[in-house]
Amino acid sequence: MMMDSKKKRFLPPHPPFSSSSSPSLLFSKWKSNLFYLFCFLMTFIFLFYGHFPIMGSKSFQPVLTIHPLSFLSVQNSRSDLLFQLRVVDRIVFPDHVLLLVAKNGRQSLLSSYQSAELECVYQVEQEQLWSSMVEVALSVLSVDEYNGLELIVRCPSPPANYSAMVNLRSRGSRGFDDGNLSLMVDRSIHSWDKLVYGAVLDGETAVMFVKGLNLRADRESDASQFSCHFGWGNAERSTQYVLTTRALTAAQEVIRCSVPKSLRKLPAKAHGVRVTLGIPTYTNTRRRSNRLEGLGGASHHRLPSVAKLIDLKLKDVSHKYDLCVCTMVWNQASSLREWIAYHAWLGVERWFIYDNNSEDSIEKVINELEEENYNVSRHVWPWIKTQEAGFSHCALQAKSECKWVGFIDVDEYFYFPVPASDRRLTNKLVYPGRNSLRSVVAKFSDSITVGEIRTTCHSFGPSGLNSIPPRGVTVGYTCRLKSPERHKSIVRPDALDDTLLTVVHHFHLRPGYKSFNLPQSTAVINHYKYQVWESFRAKFSRRVATYVADWQENQNEGSKDRAPGLGTEAIEPPNWSRQFCEVWDTGLKDFIMATLADHDSGLLPWERPLP
């Protein structure tokens, strides 16, 4: 009886349908039931897809923003700790989708799930949802810590007809109920074509890194055309960006802005604030040059942004290193040990390795070097074709830790050609042997005018080899081009121009500072640029510099950044092993074998675990 009474509570207040019912009453009941059915269907769609379809449109277009539905809860398989994560942004790159995932303060994703334990889930495009509910799961490419506030998860590009609104779940689960991952999404899908992707606090200013501005290379641009916006919301939600300032400098992909006074007084409060850039919507250059109208108003369009303001000085540094090195790498783990061991012997004390989406064992190699007391740190830099901006970012990163920072690649090695036994050089600039590079740099530390030291590069070829030299590039490649190509620089971070303008090979300096060119008789850089075809082909497939064309592109084919005669296809030219060989130069090889090889075993430092 009690069950019957409960059922009665849910019965409609009117009598059941009968043939004696009036037409108006029938119509009213029909409308009421249809309304309830419509509400049920819309609620079902909203709960599963996060939005209502737009009826009456020619095509059912996907909505890029999904409102918060539920938390991404992960049950730690190694402990009972339950923590929460949420995907806050997605960026679509040409060959993958990058997910930015907010960290919970108590736990990080890496301590619970490795990339092998997660999978990326794709659903069909929304215009096809009525005919199919199929989903596809693919393996995660990588999982990494990023900027102290977020994690990054790289997923493969979505299959054809599938959306880039990628979700995450534990491997082997099916849907939300079966797995221990559920999703909360409150951001949009962004294209890499135009995006504010990073921001760093630098004193009373903020430095933004912006893709897609298409400013001129190696030249400062007009900063008055840009506005800067600070807040706690999404760039597309204008009411959330409540603080606006002017841009102070603009060059290439780097914009420097004034920090709002309320944040300037409390840097800890500024840490983590979202930032974006306002760009003009008009084309009248006279108006643009005269004044910045309506700062944050109708004359400016705010770019999509995934950037949060990071305070790099949160780390307490008791003293500055005399000499540091910064580089950007992609799949060059096999080259790191030789490069770091050799330059540490020359006096480099600190290493900043910017990892540009490597898929080899680079993290393992860096961890091993750290355990061997090399001061090496890996910095995740997922932004493709942004080497210049990455170097500017590293200059800011190293500013509080280093007096001098060298910007060289992992196939470039400093070499001091003068024999250490030459006593006539006692009072000269040259210091051959251990710590020789740091000693040279120290000569300029007291200078009030020298802000950059430039060293000439010699480009080496395959030297007759057809396979990777087993003992390393420094003793394997011994033939080079006669004339030097380009140079590389060691800079004082506090002497750099406010624009942080760099062309990879050197920076622009503040007024009053100048560069110094080391004589070739003092030091040179051996650039092992054209290695055996196996190594060079991997390098051919990808370039990291923004303003340097990929080798596959039909642009500037005569540039020194290319291999002469190679063209635009990765096809091994005839007699590759003998090309780029004009002068046999065994100087560095002879020096290393005589100085660094173990007296008993003959092994080089990178051929065994270092003490």
Side-chain angles (χ1 to χ4, degrees):
M1 293 296 295
M2 290 182 66
M3 290 183 65
D4 292 338
S5 64
K6 288 183 179 181
K7 289 182 179 179
K8 289 179 181 178
R9 295 176 188 173
F10 293 93
L11 293 176
H14 47 72
F17 172 77
S18 69
S19 58
S20 62
S21 299
S22 65
S24 61
L25 182 59
L26 288 173
F27 182 74
S28 175
K29 286 189 276 188
W30 179 81
K31 284 199 306 180
S32 177
N33 292 335
L34 184 62
F35 175 77
Y36 290 138
L37 179 61
F38 177 82
C39 291
F40 175 78
L41 289 174
M42 293 300 100
T43 302
F44 178 85
I45 294 172
F46 179 82
L47 289 175
F48 277 84
Y49 304 114
H51 62 277
F52 291 101
I54 302 174
M55 301 301 182
S57 61
K58 293 182 179 179
S59 63
F60 189 22
Q61 298 295 331
V63 178
L64 295 184
T65 301
I66 294 184
H67 296 288
L69 295 181
S70 59
F71 287 103
L72 174 83
S73 300
V74 185
Q75 179 65 45
N76 190 344
S77 60
R78 301 173 182 85
S79 70
D80 294 330
L81 180 62
L82 183 69
F83 63 97
Q84 297 171 338
L85 300 170
R86 58 191 176 95
V87 178
V88 294
D89 285 299
R90 297 171 176 81
I91 303 100
V92 179
F93 288 91
D95 59 354
H96 68 278
V97 179
L98 181 70
L99 310 184
L100 291 177
V101 182
K103 289 175 57 177
N104 180 281
R106 297 172 298 167
Q107 184 89 357
S108 78
L109 182 63
L110 292 181
S111 62
S112 302
Y113 279 91
Q114 300 298 324
S115 59
E117 298 175 290
L118 293 175
E119 58 187 10
C120 308
V121 183
Y122 310 78
Q123 291 185 341
V124 293
E125 294 283 1
Q126 292 182 359
E127 60 264 26
Q128 303 180 35
L129 286 177
W130 299 112
S131 60
S132 174
M133 295 293 289
V134 177
E135 65 180 22
V136 169
L138 299 176
S139 297
V140 165
L141 298 176
S142 64
V143 180
D144 262 308
E145 299 275 352
Y146 179 67
N147 74 20
L149 300 172
E150 296 168 313
L151 309 168
I152 60 170
V153 179
R154 294 173 59 241
C155 291
S157 296
N161 299 324
Y162 282 79
S163 171
M165 185 65 75
V166 187
N167 298 331
L168 292 173
R169 72 182 181 199
S170 57
R171 180 174 296 280
S173 63
R174 293 294 179 266
F176 297 123
D177 296 332
D178 184 40
N180 48 15
L181 280 165
S182 58
L183 196 60
M184 174 182 178
V185 180
D186 59 358
R187 302 296 181 202
S188 300
I189 297 176
H190 303 288
S191 170
W192 178 234
D193 293 337
K194 185 166 287 188
L195 185 70
V196 181
Y197 59 89
V200 173
L201 189 65
D202 185 26
E204 296 185 348
T205 65
V207 178
M208 276 192 224
F209 301 92
V210 188
K211 189 69 175 179
L213 291 179
N214 297 322
L215 302 181
R216 295 283 297 275
D218 197 20
R219 183 176 301 181
E220 185 174 359
S221 299
D222 178 17
S224 67
Q225 60 186 305
F226 302 115
S227 58
C228 310
H229 306 269
F230 302 76
W232 291 265
N234 191 298
E236 288 78 15
R237 301 172 187 172
S238 59
T239 57
Q240 298 290 326
Y241 278 74
V242 295
L243 303 174
T244 301
T245 64
R246 297 178 181 271
L248 303 176
T249 65
Q252 298 181 161
E253 292 188 355
V254 180
I255 309 293
R256 187 182 291 272
C257 306
S258 176
V259 172
K261 291 182 179 179
S262 59
L263 299 179
R264 201 181 307 164
K265 296 177 181 178
L266 297 171
K269 183 180 178 181
H271 186 73
V273 167
R274 277 189 173 258
V275 296
T276 191
L277 186 72
I279 61 174
T281 56
Y282 51 77
T283 57
N284 189 315
T285 55
R286 181 174 299 177
R287 283 180 58 194
R288 183 174 64 187
S289 62
N290 286 340
R291 59 194 178 102
L292 180 63
E293 291 196 357
L295 199 60
S299 62
H300 274 67
H301 167 68
R302 292 175 188 174
L303 293 180
S305 174
V306 299
K308 291 183 178 179
L309 192 58
I310 304 301
D311 185 2
L312 298 175
K313 291 185 178 180
L314 291 179
K315 179 180 178 181
D316 184 24
V317 179
S318 57
H319 72 282
K320 285 190 175 184
Y321 300 103
D322 290 322
L323 180 58
C324 306
V325 163
C326 177
T327 194
M328 186 174 291
V329 299
W330 174 72
N331 286 355
Q332 292 173 305
S334 60
S335 304
L336 277 180
R337 177 172 288 278
E338 178 185 7
W339 184 70
I340 287 178
Y342 172 74
H343 285 98
W345 193 85
L346 291 183
V348 176
E349 302 168 288
R350 175 79 167 92
W351 309 84
F352 300 89
I353 310 297
Y354 275 54
D355 183 3
N356 194 213
N357 299 325
S358 295
E359 296 173 343
D360 56 5
S361 59
I362 184 171
E363 190 171 8
K364 177 183 177 182
V365 172
I366 290 177
N367 289 339
E368 291 174 351
L369 290 167
E370 274 283 280
E371 293 174 358
E372 295 162 9
N373 297 321
Y374 287 93
N375 194 358
V376 186
S377 60
R378 173 175 171 261
H379 302 267
V380 176
W381 187 259
W383 319 113
I384 62 174
K385 293 288 290 181
T386 57
Q387 186 178 21
E388 293 89 339
F391 277 8
S392 297
H393 186 279
C394 190
L396 294 172
Q397 178 89 23
K399 188 175 182 179
S400 62
E401 296 187 50
C402 310
K403 297 178 182 178
W404 292 88
V405 185
F407 290 85
I408 58 175
D409 296 331
V410 296
D411 59 356
E412 296 172 335
Y413 289 74
F414 278 89
Y415 169 48
F416 295 85
V418 178
S421 59
D422 194 338
R423 302 300 181 186
R424 296 172 299 173
L425 299 172
T426 302
N427 298 319
K428 298 290 184 69
L429 181 65
V430 183
Y431 292 83
R434 184 181 289 273
N435 296 327
S436 55
L437 184 57
R438 193 196 319 170
S439 298
V440 168
V441 169
K443 276 287 187 179
F444 298 94
S445 293
D446 294 331
S447 172
I448 60 174
T449 58
V450 176
E452 182 178 54
I453 303 168
R454 297 182 178 182
T455 308
T456 300
C457 300
H458 282 296
S459 296
F460 280 69
S463 307
L465 302 180
N466 292 301
S467 59
I468 297 174
R471 309 199 68 182
V473 297
T474 53
V475 297
Y477 299 113
T478 55
C479 197
R480 60 172 173 83
L481 296 176
K482 182 177 180 179
S483 299
E485 292 184 332
R486 300 197 181 279
H487 58 265
K488 286 298 178 73
S489 297
I490 301 174
V491 303
R492 292 171 61 171
D494 56 0
L496 299 183
D497 189 75
D498 287 342
T499 61
L500 297 176
L501 187 55
T502 176
V503 290
V504 177
H505 302 283
H506 60 260
F507 280 81
H508 286 210
L509 303 176
R510 292 180 184 273
Y513 286 96
K514 63 182 181 180
S515 61
F516 178 85
N517 296 315
L518 282 179
Q520 293 186 44
S521 59
T522 297
V524 295
I525 290 178
N526 283 7
H527 183 189
Y528 300 102
K529 181 177 181 179
Y530 310 110
Q531 300 184 23
V532 297
W533 182 252
E534 178 184 348
S535 298
F536 187 83
R537 180 175 56 188
K539 182 179 179 181
F540 179 95
S541 64
R542 191 169 181 265
R543 305 299 298 275
V544 295
T546 311
Y547 292 90
V548 175
D550 286 341
W551 277 321
Q552 298 94 327
E553 297 177 4
N554 188 18
Q555 299 179 25
N556 301 326
E557 292 190 43
S559 170
K560 291 183 179 179
D561 292 306
R562 292 179 175 272
L566 183 61
T568 59
E569 297 183 9
I571 300 175
E572 183 175 1
N575 200 29
W576 172 263
S577 65
R578 295 290 180 180
Q579 294 195 27
F580 317 108
C581 181
E582 297 175 348
V583 176
W584 289 95
D585 183 350
T586 63
L588 183 53
K589 174 185 176 179
D590 296 339
F591 173 78
I592 285 176
M593 296 304 296
T595 309
L596 300 184
D598 184 84
H599 292 296
D600 297 326
S601 66
L603 293 176
L604 299 171
W606 45 90
E607 293 182 293
R608 63 165 187 251
L610 297 171

